[in-house]
């Protein structure tokens, strides 16, 4: 004899799906004893449908969640008898005609089962699981078992589970009453899981019957809402998880769980932002605050568990899902097409010989700078050590005083932020990051070029050849030898910047990925700013349907360079915004022909020396042209064969050449009175990048025929690198390991007490010429050097007064300069070692300083002759303007926004708004 089964149907604005559900209940091979329908304030005609149905009684309630409506329906049933069962249904869940028969068969065969659920299928995809039972992680997050999988009978042997769906479930009536029904605090999500957990703790079994199928038009969150946004789903699911966590927690741990709610909300908010779900942040906090104040609901849930509990929590452990299973099974839930996506057939880094090119580049980097092996700091050429701590680096990245005297006030160079980021990577010794950069620059260049070219072509060999050309580019090697950190960083970032910017219109993620290298190029090589504007115009033109994405990709770069550009414009020297950051390094500017051969100063000189030694009488320019011909020929082939794809790169080639030539006309800074033009190598790097891209375009015409010319290009790149490498061996090293301290020990000791202590440094340059400088603390560092100070056309009044005081000190004038030196916190005077042709002025300055009664001679140091003075009332250091911190914060926020946009979405299910379907369909 079959037991009595009472079907309880909860309805809430379900007119679209209700007819199919009512028809499915009526078609059951084993009919329930009675159907009780409970309408929760429907306004769409559901009430009329229920009145016309075969339901024995219809209850009309106010708008309540699913669990509460079920509770009202159960309360209206006749008096219970032993062996009664409840079949609980929602309006959007249509059971198979044999569903109830299968559920009853299961409990008949397994008397210990008090809760048994069906196999829940999707209404829009009837062959896929909505769920086949539920479980939870060790931290309590609910998991729908086998969600989204194709049903091929592979799980038909599943039985015991931790929880089942709240709809279609068959529950023994006395057990349901003892458990207290559904938890009212769980309005939709996790209601069935919580019922199963409490049933398990009460000593009952919970199972799923795969032969019983229910087709559902939406998730539990859709019971009262036709559509649910991602943020709403996060709020409901998180509220349910936190409620269960507090309800299930051990009494000793309950307070700790409650106190951790706010810190966890902060951490999860950051994760939501990284997952590009900003709307979920508000939902997270709404759920957290609701859990904090819902102490009454938590207390009632805990009492409900304690009243029925007969088993320990350890009995649930075998039914929980392990983290390893979660990680292995994590995928885009609700997105079954992900498994059908086309496989990326582009060549891999190892498979495409990228790893071998990088290994060669590592060797080249070590060979170029063997003197830096084991060094913690480096100096020489255009390089100085960095400040001794990340805090000092970031302080120098702030706007405000940009020189040692506080006379120059303005925004900091964007490159100071790049240096601060680099130095923070090795916080124990920030300068170590620069040493590593110099030695690993060729290897990093090979990696960036490989992956940039990999975006442009499906060729199996072209990315490796491009990586070799880019890693062994003479412009990069010359920059490493001379310690030009800015051009090095620009060269490393250029491939990703150019390729990424031209593809920025494809997605916001692509725009974010392009924004970061573009910002690095703009900050490290300002001379490329006009070319970057051309690149932006090209990107907007190519993606004219979505112009906002390329424009957004330029925002971080604009945030870095616009403040400096505006400051130079207001100062009347707009071109000074293009000055190279760092220490000026005078050199012989290349001619227009040398720029066309991609040979800035330093590279052609090395080539001439090698050619003179190997083949005397041969013009080095012809050798440079011969080395460039294979790559240039491939680029020309692209222009002829595929002009539609080649023209943007041709424009960038011309922009790079124009930059290299124009840089030779910009003498914006000077070093010890000698003008220093902007380095032309950055423009040459851009031209080389365009040539490589044009060659790749040509390769796509016929990949197989291009292999032989590609090998020739790679050989030419290796040969072109030989002169620079050879010169670095034959000539004394420009960049060397920096000493432990740059200033004398007396100055270092004083700097430990006052980090702003000043040293008046006298540089005898020639007869009658003395350069004057003020250094503070441990000496000038690379992040201290500001283009705002270097590009000025006239001295500040304070500088002029200090220069006159230095002349008086060095020439024997009996002038009282104590007050001026005190105002600048200057306690030491340092006379540098004499130079050739300046012995007379050096000796006169030494005698004059020795004769002064207000200076105490300390003697010879490794930096020169040192005198100390007793400081009086020292002046206060110049204060930073209020806008400095806000400017840096805004710049970092722009960079952080680009990083977040570039990250892949951390998807855990469909993030789009979901809707319940209009019906569940009919079972065949």
């Amino acid at each position: 004899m079959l037991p009595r089964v009472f079907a309880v149907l909860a309805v809430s604005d379900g007119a679209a799906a209700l007819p199919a559900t009512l028809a499915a209940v009526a078609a059951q091979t084993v009919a329930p004893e009675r159907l009780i329908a409970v309408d929760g304030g429907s306004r769409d005609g559901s009430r009329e449908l229920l009145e016309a149905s075969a339901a024995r009684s219809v209850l009309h309630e106010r708008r309540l969640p699913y669990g509460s409506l079920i509770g009202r329906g159960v309360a209206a049933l006749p008096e219970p008898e032993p062996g009664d069962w409840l079949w609980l249904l929602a309006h959007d869940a249509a059971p198979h005609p044999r569903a109830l028969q299968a559920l009853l068969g299961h409990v008949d065969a397994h008397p210990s089962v008090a809760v048994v659920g069906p196999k829940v299928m999707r209404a829009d995809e009837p062959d896929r699981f909505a769920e086949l039972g539920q479980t939870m992680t060790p931290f309590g997050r609910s998991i729908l078992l086998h969600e989204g999988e194709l049903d091929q009978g592979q799980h038909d042997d599943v039985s015991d589970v931790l929880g089942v769906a709240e709809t279609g479930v068959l529950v023994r009536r006395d057990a349901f009453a003892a458990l207290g029904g559904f938890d009212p605090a769980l309005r939709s999500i996790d209601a069935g899981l919580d019922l199963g957990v409490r049933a398990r703790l009460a000593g009952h079994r919970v199972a799923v019957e795969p032969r019983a199928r229910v087709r559902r038009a939406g998730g539990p969150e859709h019971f009262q809402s036709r559509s649910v946004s991602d943020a709403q789903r996060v709020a409901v699911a998180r509220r349910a998880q936190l409620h269960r966590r507090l309800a299930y927690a051990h009494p000793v741990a309950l307070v700790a769980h409650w106190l951790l709610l706010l810190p966890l909300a902060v951490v999860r908010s950051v994760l939501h932002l990284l997952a590009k779900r900003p709307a979920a942040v508000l939902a997270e906090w709404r759920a957290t605050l609701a859990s904090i104040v819902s102490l009454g609901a938590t207390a009632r849930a805990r009492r409900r568990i304690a009243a029925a509990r007969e088993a320990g929590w350890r009995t649930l452990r075998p039914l929980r899902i392990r983290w390893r299973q979660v990680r292995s099974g994590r995928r885009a839930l609700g997105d079954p097409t992900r498994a059908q996506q086309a496989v990326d057939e582009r060549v891999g880094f190892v498979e495409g010989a990228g790893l071998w090119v990088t290994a060669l580049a590592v060797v080249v980097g070590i060979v170029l700078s063997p003197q830096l092996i084991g060094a913690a700091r480096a100096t020489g050429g255009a390089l100085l050590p960095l400040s001794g701590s990340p805090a000092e680096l970031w302080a120098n990245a702030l706007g405000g005083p940009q020189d040692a005297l506080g006379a120059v006030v303005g925004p900091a160079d964007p490159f100071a932020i790049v240096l601060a980021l680099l130095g923070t990577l090795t916080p124990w010794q920030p300068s170590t990051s620069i040493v590593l950069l110099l030695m690993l620059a060729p290897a990093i260049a090979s990696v960036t070029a490989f992956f940039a070219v990999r975006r442009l072509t499906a060729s199996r060999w072209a990315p490796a050849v491009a990586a070799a050309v880019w890693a062994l580019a003479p412009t990069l090697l010359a920059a490493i030898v001379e310690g030009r950190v800015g051009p090095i960083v620009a060269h490393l970032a250029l491939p990703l910047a150019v390729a990424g910017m031209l593809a920025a219109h494809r997605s916001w993620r692509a725009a974010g990925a392009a924004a970061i290298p573009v910002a690095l190029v703009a900050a490290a090589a300002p001379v490329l700013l006009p070319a970057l504007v051309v690149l932006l115009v090209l990107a907007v033109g190519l993606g004219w349907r979505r112009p906002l994405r390329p424009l957004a990709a330029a925002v971080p770069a604009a945030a870095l360079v616009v403040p400096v550009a505006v400051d130079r414009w207001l100062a009347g020297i707009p071109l000074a915004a293009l000055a190279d950051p760092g220490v000026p390094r005078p050199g012989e500017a290349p001619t227009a022909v040398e720029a066309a051969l991609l040979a800035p100063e330093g590279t052609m000189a090395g080539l001439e020396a090698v050619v003179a030694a190997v083949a005397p009488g041969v013009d080095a320019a012809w050798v440079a042209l011969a080395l460039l011909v294979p790559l240039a020929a491939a680029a020309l082939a692209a222009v002829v064969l595929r002009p539609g794809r080649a023209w943007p790169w041709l424009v960038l080639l011309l922009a790079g050449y124009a930059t290299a030539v124009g840089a030779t006309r910009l003498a914006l800074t000077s070093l010890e009175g000698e003008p220093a033009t902007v380095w032309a190598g950055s423009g040459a790097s851009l031209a080389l990048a365009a040539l490589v891209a044009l060659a790749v375009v040509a390769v796509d015409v016929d990949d197989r025929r291009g292999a032989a010319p590609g090998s020739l290009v790679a050989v030419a790149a290796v040969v072109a690198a030989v002169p620079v490498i050879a010169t670095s061996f034959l000539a004394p090293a420009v960049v060397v390991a920096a000493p432990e301290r740059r200033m004398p020990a007396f100055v270092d000791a004083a700097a430990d007490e006052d980090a702003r202590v000043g040293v008046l440094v006298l540089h005898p340059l020639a007869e009658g010429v003395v350069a004057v400088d003020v250094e503070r603390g441990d000496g000038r560092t690379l992040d201290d050097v500001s283009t705002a100070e270097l590009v000025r056309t006239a001295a500040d009044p304070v500088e002029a007064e200090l220069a006159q005081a230095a002349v008086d000190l060095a020439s024997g004038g009996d002038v009282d300069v104590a007050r001026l030196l005190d105002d600048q916190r200057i306690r030491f005077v340092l006379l540098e070692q004499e130079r050739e042709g300046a012995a007379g002025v050096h000796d006169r300055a030494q005698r004059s300083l020795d004769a002064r009664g207000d200076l105490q001679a300390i003697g010879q140091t490794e930096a020169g002759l040192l005198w100390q003075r007793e400081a009086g009332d020292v002046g206060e250091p110049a204060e930073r303007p209020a806008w400095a911190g806000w400017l840096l914060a805004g710049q970092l926020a722009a960079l952080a926004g680009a990083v977040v946009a570039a990250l892949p979405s951390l998807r855990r299910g469909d993030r789009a708004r979901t809707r319940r379907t209009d019906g569940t369909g009919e079972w065949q």
Side-chain angles (χ1 to χ4, degrees):
M1 180 178 176
L2 294 175
R4 291 199 305 173
V5 178
F6 295 99
V8 182
L9 175 63
V11 181
S12 180
D13 289 331
L18 188 56
T21 302
L22 291 172
V25 173
Q28 292 299 303
T29 56
V30 176
E33 177 78 13
R34 180 179 299 185
L35 173 62
I36 302 293
V38 186
D39 178 61
S42 297
R43 298 183 296 272
D44 64 347
S46 296
R47 178 178 300 188
E48 290 75 11
L49 291 172
L50 292 175
E51 295 289 354
S53 70
R56 180 70 61 88
S57 60
V58 178
L59 303 180
H60 302 292
E61 300 287 345
R62 57 188 174 87
R63 195 171 184 82
L64 293 172
Y66 172 79
S68 299
L69 294 177
I70 291 293
R72 301 294 175 91
V74 172
L77 292 175
E79 290 297 320
E81 296 180 4
D84 283 356
W85 289 84
L86 303 175
W87 192 26
L88 311 180
L89 293 165
H91 63 255
D92 59 349
H96 188 273
R98 290 187 295 274
L100 183 56
Q101 178 183 348
L103 294 173
L104 289 172
H106 187 100
V107 298
D108 182 59
H110 306 88
S112 59
V113 173
V115 179
V116 59
K119 178 193 294 183
V120 183
M121 312 301 292
R122 293 180 174 177
D124 55 344
E125 295 178 281
D127 56 346
R128 292 191 180 274
F129 293 118
E131 64 173 275
L132 186 61
Q134 300 180 15
T135 185
M136 58 184 176
T137 67
F139 286 165
R141 185 166 67 89
S142 59
I143 300 291
L144 302 180
L145 295 173
H146 312 299
E147 180 189 14
E149 290 186 24
L150 186 66
D151 181 17
Q152 297 176 316
Q154 70 273 34
H155 301 299
D156 282 356
D157 57 345
V158 174
S159 180
D160 281 70
V161 291
L162 187 57
V164 294
E166 77 288 347
T167 184
V169 61
L170 186 68
V171 187
R172 207 171 66 211
R173 186 175 180 182
D174 59 342
F176 188 78
L179 295 173
F182 291 109
D183 189 337
L186 299 173
R187 301 177 62 87
S188 56
I189 293 177
D190 291 355
L193 174 63
D194 174 72
L195 182 67
V197 168
R198 287 187 283 124
R200 286 277 179 182
L201 292 175
H204 307 299
R205 284 181 60 196
V206 179
V208 66
E209 173 50 62
R211 294 176 301 167
R213 292 178 292 164
V214 168
R215 187 179 292 167
R216 188 163 195 181
E221 67 273 20
H222 292 99
F223 178 74
Q224 290 182 307
S225 301
R226 183 173 180 82
S227 65
V228 177
S229 67
D230 179 58
Q232 291 172 324
R233 190 183 306 107
V234 169
V236 174
R238 184 60 175 166
R239 174 71 180 91
Q241 180 184 355
L242 294 179
H243 173 76
R244 289 188 297 101
R245 179 177 297 174
L246 296 176
Y248 299 166
H250 190 280
V252 177
L254 178 60
V255 176
H257 280 296
W258 188 83
L259 293 175
L260 286 173
L261 290 177
L262 286 178
L264 285 175
V266 174
V267 174
R268 286 176 59 87
S269 296
V270 174
L271 294 178
H272 286 313
L273 291 176
L274 293 178
K276 304 176 186 176
R277 305 168 76 182
V281 174
L282 182 60
E284 179 73 32
W285 282 97
R286 187 165 62 245
T288 298
L289 295 177
S291 299
I292 290 175
V293 300
S294 299
L295 300 180
T298 301
R300 288 189 293 271
R302 294 180 67 86
R303 286 197 298 268
R304 195 177 296 112
I305 293 173
R309 179 180 169 185
E310 294 184 4
W313 287 96
R314 290 188 177 182
T315 60
L316 306 183
R317 188 172 299 171
L319 298 171
R320 287 179 180 242
I321 192 169
R322 298 177 181 177
W323 286 118
R324 181 177 299 177
Q325 294 172 287
V326 174
R327 287 191 295 268
S328 63
R330 183 174 293 167
R331 58 192 178 87
L333 301 179
D335 186 12
T337 59
R338 180 173 179 176
Q340 303 172 7
Q341 289 179 352
V343 177
D344 187 357
E345 296 182 353
R346 292 176 298 180
V347 66
F349 185 66
V350 176
E351 176 192 4
L355 182 61
W356 295 106
V357 175
T358 300
L360 172 64
V362 170
V363 174
V364 171
I366 295 174
V367 170
L368 271 180
S369 307
Q371 72 278 10
L372 298 181
I373 297 177
R377 302 166 11 128
T379 188
L383 183 62
L384 287 174
L386 298 184
S387 295
S389 69
E392 294 177 79
L393 289 172
W394 288 107
N396 287 329
L398 285 168
Q402 298 298 310
D403 66 335
L405 302 178
V408 181
V409 179
D413 289 336
F415 191 57
I417 297 178
V418 177
L419 293 177
L421 292 171
L422 285 173
T424 305
L425 297 177
T426 55
W428 62 91
Q429 176 52 268
S431 292
T432 300
S433 63
I434 301 299
V435 175
L436 294 175
L437 177 66
L438 293 176
M439 300 189 72
L440 297 178
I444 299 172
S446 69
V447 174
T448 59
F450 184 94
F451 285 102
V453 172
R454 185 173 173 266
R455 298 179 183 177
L456 305 178
T457 179
S459 171
R460 315 294 288 178
W461 57 266
V465 173
V469 171
W470 195 250
L472 301 177
T475 52
L476 173 63
L477 303 185
I480 295 172
V481 170
E482 298 178 3
R484 298 180 184 271
V485 179
I488 292 173
V489 172
H491 187 93
L492 302 185
L494 259 176
L496 298 177
V498 177
M501 197 65 176
L502 294 181
H505 63 277
R506 296 177 182 173
S507 68
W508 286 109
R509 182 183 174 189
I516 302 168
V518 168
L520 287 176
V521 172
V527 70
L528 289 175
L529 287 177
L532 290 179
V533 173
V534 174
L535 175 63
L536 176 60
V537 173
L538 288 174
V540 172
L542 292 175
W544 60 272
R545 294 180 183 274
R546 299 179 181 87
L548 289 181
R549 292 173 179 174
L551 291 173
V555 168
L560 294 180
V561 302
V562 166
V564 173
V566 171
D567 181 75
R568 304 296 185 269
W569 182 278
L570 295 177
I573 44 175
L575 290 179
L578 306 180
D580 285 333
V583 180
R585 181 168 172 79
E588 184 179 353
T591 64
V593 173
E594 291 174 339
L597 296 175
L598 308 183
E601 66 267 26
T603 59
M604 185 59 78
L607 181 61
E608 290 173 349
V610 172
V611 171
V614 176
V618 177
D619 191 346
W622 289 107
V623 177
L625 178 61
L627 294 174
L628 190 61
V629 162
L631 184 61
L636 181 60
V639 176
V640 174
L641 298 176
R642 306 193 72 174
R645 283 190 58 190
W647 74 266
W649 301 108
L650 185 60
V651 172
L652 290 177
L653 173 63
L654 296 176
Y657 175 70
T659 300
V661 174
T664 64
R665 309 295 189 268
L666 294 176
L668 301 175
T669 59
S670 63
L671 182 66
E672 297 178 350
E674 185 179 355
T677 59
V678 176
W679 198 55
S682 297
S685 291
L686 177 59
L688 178 61
L691 279 176
V692 171
L694 284 170
V696 170
V697 171
V699 165
D700 275 349
V701 175
D702 192 334
D703 184 42
R704 289 176 297 177
R705 292 187 179 181
S711 302
L712 185 60
V713 170
V715 172
V718 174
V719 175
V722 169
V724 180
I725 299 174
T727 305
S728 69
F729 272 103
L730 299 176
V734 177
V735 177
V736 296
E740 286 296 321
R741 57 174 180 262
R742 296 187 63 250
M743 302 300 290
F746 276 89
V747 178
D748 282 350
D752 291 339
E753 300 177 1
D754 180 8
R756 297 292 299 169
V757 64
V759 181
L760 184 66
V761 184
L762 306 179
H763 309 273
L765 302 180
E767 285 300 326
V769 180
V770 177
V772 182
D773 197 6
V774 174
E775 297 193 23
R776 300 203 178 273
D778 298 329
R780 174 160 290 192
T781 58
L782 186 60
D783 48 296
D784 277 333
V785 179
S786 171
T787 57
E789 179 185 7
L790 298 174
V791 300
R792 288 175 304 157
T793 56
D796 182 86
V798 177
E799 284 183 304
E801 188 178 0
L802 192 63
Q804 184 60 49
V807 171
D808 293 336
L809 289 174
S811 61
D814 189 16
V815 179
D816 184 12
V817 296
R819 185 58 191 169
L820 176 62
L821 298 183
D822 287 342
D823 288 343
Q824 297 300 326
R825 308 169 78 92
I826 295 175
R827 290 182 54 190
F828 297 92
V829 177
L830 177 65
L831 179 62
E832 278 196 344
Q833 306 286 4
E834 65 180 72
R835 305 186 185 186
E836 183 178 355
V841 69
H842 181 277
D843 292 342
R844 286 194 300 272
Q846 179 181 352
R847 291 193 299 269
S848 175
L849 293 171
D850 283 336
R852 292 191 65 93
D854 55 349
L855 295 178
Q856 178 183 352
I858 294 177
Q860 184 69 45
T861 69
E862 61 272 20
L865 293 171
L866 184 68
W867 288 264
Q868 183 178 12
R869 59 180 296 273
E870 291 295 330
D873 296 332
V874 297
E876 293 296 325
E879 294 185 0
R880 295 192 182 276
W883 52 261
W886 290 107
L887 176 60
L888 180 59
Q891 292 171 327
L892 293 179
L895 292 174
V899 171
V900 171
L903 290 174
S905 300
L906 305 179
R907 300 180 64 167
R908 292 180 180 173
D910 190 3
R911 295 171 58 242
R913 176 178 291 273
T914 57
R915 298 178 180 273
R916 68 186 182 198
T917 58
D918 290 336
T920 56
E922 296 182 0
W923 289 100
Q924 301 299 322

